[in-house]
Amino acid sequence: MKAGLRARARGQAMVEYSVVTAALFGFTVLGWPFLVQLLNGLHRYYQSIYYIIQSPIP
């Protein structure tokens, strides 16, 4: 009886691991365009700050 419970527990752990891994992978793939746009926006923001700091007008 104990061997059957261990096998089921191990199977449940593998299913949970697979579901969590698939969710993380899916979020990464679906969230990638958003992350690219976020990084582009941050780059433009910092470039504008440097432009203002280095402008010759006081």
Side-chain angles (χ1 to χ4, degrees):
M1 185 80 181
K2 283 187 177 182
L5 290 175
R6 270 193 210 142
R8 277 190 268 163
R10 187 176 60 200
Q12 180 182 359
M14 288 300 295
V15 168
E16 289 175 1
Y17 173 76
S18 300
V19 167
V20 168
T21 303
L24 288 174
F25 182 70
F27 175 75
T28 303
V29 170
L30 293 175
W32 185 254
F34 172 73
L35 293 175
V36 170
Q37 290 179 356
L38 180 66
L39 291 174
N40 286 338
L42 286 173
H43 179 70
R44 286 185 183 179
Y45 175 72
Y46 286 120
Q47 289 298 322
S48 68
I49 288 175
Y50 290 137
Y51 177 77
I52 296 299
I53 289 173
Q54 295 176 359
S55 67
I57 302 170

